[in-house]
Amino acid sequence: EVQLVESGGGLVQPGRSLKLSCAASGFTFSNYYMAWVRQAPKKGLEWVATISTSGSRTYYPDSVKGRFTISRDNAKSSLYLQMNSLKSEDTATYYCARNSGDYWGQGVMVTVSS
Amino acid sequence: DVVMTQTPVSLPVSLGGQASISCRSSQSLVHSNGNTYLHWYLQKPGQSPQLLIYRVSNRFSGVPDRFSGSGSGTDFTLKISRVEPEDLGDYYCLQSTHFPDTFGAGTKLELK
């Protein structure tokens, strides 16, 4: 059974950093592009980042480019999202997902507030 | 970025009835490889999105045949027949033909 379990969320002040993790199981992690998608409270879905199988290629929308960094450790079947210079508009539930969009984690809440 | 316009915003339905959701893109979703990367998701309250339909009309594993997707180019439709209580929630379309991936704003399927 495919499982994606996010961790690392919480309350953080504007301008500070936070790192999310996603533990994958039930499939060969190193064979899949992976992604992060977020959802602000009561709002729609927004793609945040994608990483290639080896980690050599990463992709971001303009809204987070230069502030967020996606990475992976294939030996640990883990995906990460380093978020720097956080803003109030980054407040959202962050989902880890296979980039094919077929499996998603349950999400982790990040609140950026003073 | 490709804008995905989803209608209606809210869709009241009766159990056992039929629902239809539209998704229109600001440019064609036909990829240079000939595929069309338009997908549909259902997000039930308190849960993460779950894939229903991929590449316009393909039902994901375990999705009942009450769900069907159709369309081409810039106009796409999700139809749900014989609506059941577990079908209620927020529906989203997603395009992954063009960078960056973009979602529709969502349609709330609720009881009439």
Side-chain angles (χ1 to χ4, degrees), chain B residues 20-63:
Chain B
S20 180
I21 300 171
S22 170
C23 187
R24 290 186 173 178
S25 56
S26 59
Q27 57 185 279
S28 173
L29 298 186
V30 180
H31 194 276
S32 56
N33 64 14
N35 290 325
T36 300
Y37 296 96
L38 184 285
H39 323 290
W40 290 96
Y41 290 84
L42 164 60
Q43 185 175 31
K44 299 179 183 180
Q47 296 186 18
S48 56
Q50 57 188 82
L51 180 64
L52 297 173
I53 302 286
Y54 63 96
R55 281 192 275 119
V56 181
S57 59
N58 300 278
R59 275 187 300 277
F60 186 55
S61 175
V63 174

Side-chain angles (χ1 to χ4, degrees), chain A:
Chain A
E1 178 192 8
V2 173
Q3 284 199 328
L4 297 167
V5 180
E6 302 93 338
S7 60
L11 174 63
V12 61
Q13 293 179 327
R16 304 298 291 264
S17 299
L18 198 64
K19 187 173 184 177
L20 306 181
S21 300
C22 172
S25 61
F27 66 102
T28 305
F29 180 74
S30 58
N31 286 353
Y32 287 84
Y33 277 51
M34 297 295 295
W36 290 96
V37 179
R38 69 183 179 183
Q39 185 172 34
K42 305 294 186 185
K43 298 293 185 182
L45 298 161
E46 180 188 18
W47 166 73
V48 170
T50 292
I51 189 167
S52 63
T53 51
S54 67
S56 60
R57 286 170 291 177
T58 56
Y59 309 87
Y60 309 93
D62 288 344
S63 57
V64 306
K65 191 179 295 182
R67 299 189 300 122
F68 288 13
T69 302
I70 187 172
S71 61
R72 65 191 298 160
D73 184 336
N74 285 340
K76 295 183 177 179
S77 294
S78 293
L79 180 72
Y80 307 100
L81 185 67
Q82 176 69 46
M83 303 183 293
N84 299 332
S85 304
L86 282 162
K87 308 174 182 180
S88 58
E89 52 263 42
D90 295 319
T91 293
T93 296
Y94 285 74
Y95 296 101
C96 161
R98 292 205 311 200
N99 195 57
S100 47
D102 50 0
Y103 290 96
W104 297 50
Q106 283 305 300
V108 62
M109 185 67 200
V110 173
T111 303
V112 183
S113 174
S114 54

